[in-house]
Amino acid sequence: MAKDRKQHLPKPTEAELKILHVLWTRGAATVREVHNELVDDRDKRYSTTLKMLQVMHAKGLVVRDDSIRPQLYRAAKSRPATQRQLVDDLVARAFGGAAGRLLVQALSSQRVSADEMSEIKQLIERLEQESP
């Protein structure tokens, strides 16, 4: 059943992820505030930001507080929950469900900081202790 539930969760597009990053950082924001954070994208108009937030609301990616004006938008799920969902999807589609293969690819293609390496080691140790 949990697998069926995961399939129904909306997957954000690249543009939607940019908006989610703004909302995760700010907590809540108006359309104008989101738009102003995205000003580096010169082709984006305010109306485009508004439409994207409306679509994201319809998809369930954001929640909207209609009780105030201007309306405030928040991410419907936390950054870690969204990242987990995207990684789960990538593991399933690109690595045949083998998370270890994803980890090997990720570690061999990107530089890992000392802090990240420590975090990875702690996770491996915890997983080894949990294994029967």
Side-chain angles (χ1 to χ4, degrees):
M1 267 170 77
K3 191 174 186 178
D4 290 337
R5 187 176 65 82
K6 278 187 181 181
Q7 291 174 350
H8 291 91
L9 294 174
K11 291 179 182 70
T13 65
E14 191 67 33
E16 291 168 342
L17 277 171
K18 286 181 181 180
I19 291 173
L20 286 172
H21 284 291
V22 171
L23 296 175
W24 288 324
T25 301
R26 295 182 68 99
T30 65
V31 175
R32 174 66 58 199
E33 291 168 335
V34 171
H35 179 73
N36 289 343
E37 290 282 332
L38 300 174
V39 293
D40 64 323
D41 188 351
R42 299 288 178 210
D43 296 333
K44 191 169 294 234
R45 294 188 171 145
Y46 175 87
S47 60
T48 302
T49 304
L50 172 61
K51 183 63 177 170
M52 290 203 54
L53 280 161
Q54 290 169 338
V55 168
M56 291 173 72
H57 181 258
K59 288 173 69 173
L61 291 170
V62 298
V63 293
R64 181 176 62 209
D65 184 349
D66 292 325
S67 68
I68 58 173
R69 294 285 186 246
Q71 298 164 329
L72 285 176
Y73 288 85
R74 285 185 173 77
K77 294 190 304 184
S78 68
R79 183 187 310 246
T82 300
Q83 290 172 336
R84 222 175 353 267
Q85 174 190 336
L86 292 171
V87 168
D88 287 349
D89 181 61
L90 179 62
V91 168
R93 290 186 306 115
F95 295 92
R101 285 192 217 145
L102 169 66
L103 183 60
V104 169
Q105 283 296 323
L107 292 175
S108 64
S109 67
Q110 299 291 320
R111 182 154 170 72
V112 180
S113 72
D115 288 343
E116 291 168 326
M117 188 61 75
S118 176
E119 189 176 346
I120 291 166
K121 288 176 182 176
Q122 289 173 5
L123 175 61
I124 291 170
E125 288 172 7
R126 191 182 87 228
L127 292 172
E128 286 175 336
Q129 290 174 356
E130 292 174 3
S131 293

